[in-house]
Amino acid sequence: MRRRKSYSIRLNRKKRHKILIESVASSKKAVDDSLFKHLQIRNLIMRNQQNDLTEEQKIPLPFFLITCPTNKSDLMIDVDHDGLSAVVSFTHNTVVCNGVVYKSTDILQHMKLDDKVG
């Protein structure tokens, strides 16, 4: 009887240990991802603050990239009167097409901004 109890306690400890290790790994990944996104945004801000950039070369935040059909007649953009929001809709061959929306943090990871700032 005593052996079973001892075995059960060890098994529970191993399970708890495994769960804790997985939790720590998951938390570490979340912190790393947040830090990476912070650094990307910081690098973009530093890039935008360079004196030799024109207003057209600066990239405002936040921004989104939306994939949509190439036929511009299928694309409708309704910008709100304050200019701060817009509704983008499009159809493709009379079928509503669900475009993919990429956030600024998704795009910044491909821009290699870390090479340009020290």
Side-chain angles (χ1 to χ4, degrees):
M1 180 74 167
R2 191 168 227 187
R3 280 189 186 173
R4 278 189 171 172
K5 213 175 203 182
S6 172
Y7 178 75
S8 176
I9 290 172
R10 277 186 291 198
L11 191 60
N12 286 337
R13 284 183 184 165
K14 286 181 179 181
K15 284 181 182 179
R16 282 196 316 252
H17 181 71
K18 182 181 177 188
I19 290 170
L20 287 172
I21 294 295
E22 289 171 354
S23 176
V24 167
S26 175
S27 296
K28 183 182 180 323
K29 182 178 178 349
V31 168
D32 288 348
D33 289 347
S34 294
L35 181 60
F36 183 67
K37 288 178 183 179
H38 170 78
L39 291 174
Q40 291 172 325
I41 292 171
R42 184 207 65 173
N43 289 342
L44 178 61
I45 290 169
M46 290 175 71
R47 178 198 175 275
N48 282 346
Q49 290 175 344
Q50 291 177 355
N51 292 331
D52 58 341
L53 291 179
T54 65
E55 286 301 314
E56 292 81 30
Q57 292 173 315
K58 293 181 181 180
I59 302 171
L61 283 172
F63 64 88
F64 299 92
L65 178 70
I66 303 171
T67 60
C68 60
T70 56
N71 186 354
K72 291 183 182 178
S73 64
D74 294 337
L75 179 65
M76 288 183 16
I77 302 173
D78 183 22
V79 179
D80 200 13
H81 68 280
D82 61 6
L84 298 176
S85 62
V87 175
V88 178
S89 59
F90 45 88
T91 58
H92 186 59
N93 295 335
T94 67
V95 176
V96 175
C97 189
N98 293 330
V100 178
V101 178
Y102 297 98
K103 297 179 186 177
S104 53
T105 52
D106 298 330
I107 297 165
L108 288 174
Q109 68 185 356
H110 299 287
M111 293 180 64
K112 309 245 185 231
L113 294 174
D114 54 341
D115 297 339
K116 296 181 176 103
V117 286

